[in-house]
């Protein structure tokens, strides 16, 4: 896990979305990736919380059918004006990247 020493106070909706996306991503790593390593990174970028979960596993199958978990991650992000992308990593494995805006709140 890589995260800043401190983060701004996050709105509850952003916390819930980030937690849910991370939880589903980690579940998918355990179930499907055959990875030896998994990395969770949190950063702040332009009033957005950026969450990235990547692994060194087998990556996404070419003919994948998005399931309920992938759809729920995308929906969680979109509900608060963000976005979530699931893709193959540049060096293999899979990567989930969510950008969750905190500027809508407060």
């Amino acid at each position: 896990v890589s995260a800043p020493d401190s983060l701004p106070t996050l709105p509850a909706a952003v916390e819930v979305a980030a937690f849910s996306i991370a939880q589903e991503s980690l579940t998918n790593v355990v179930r499907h990736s055959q990875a030896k390593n998994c990395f969770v990174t949190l950063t702040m970028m332009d009033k957005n919380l950026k969450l990235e979960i990547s692994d060194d596993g087998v990556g996404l199958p070419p003919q994948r059918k998005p399931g309920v978990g992938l759809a729920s991650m995308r929906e969680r992000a979109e509900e608060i004006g963000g976005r979530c992308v699931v893709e193959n990593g540049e060096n293999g494995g899979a990567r989930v990247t969510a950008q969750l805006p905190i500027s809508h709140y407060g």
Side-chain angles (χ1 to χ4, degrees), residues 2-104:
S2 174
D5 289 335
S6 65
L7 289 169
T9 300
L10 299 174
V14 174
E15 288 182 359
V16 169
F19 179 83
S20 297
I21 292 167
Q23 182 179 38
E24 183 62 36
S25 297
L26 293 171
T27 298
N28 286 339
V29 169
V30 170
R31 286 185 182 163
H32 306 295
S33 76
Q34 301 174 28
K36 291 184 180 181
N37 298 288
C38 178
F39 308 93
V40 178
T41 306
L42 288 168
T43 54
M44 288 299 303
M45 294 179 56
D46 302 323
K47 296 190 178 183
N48 286 288
L49 176 67
K50 182 179 177 189
L51 170 66
E52 182 174 292
I53 298 93
S54 59
D55 66 60
D56 62 359
V58 297
L60 302 169
Q63 303 295 325
R64 71 181 166 123
K65 293 191 297 186
V68 172
L70 296 180
S72 71
M73 288 191 296
R74 188 175 54 254
E75 289 169 4
R76 286 276 188 183
E78 290 173 355
E79 283 173 352
I80 60 169
R83 67 186 200 106
C84 183
V85 176
V86 180
E87 60 193 351
N88 281 311
E90 293 174 12
N91 299 313
R95 177 176 55 215
V96 174
T97 305
Q99 289 193 1
L100 309 172
I102 62 169
S103 61
H104 292 357

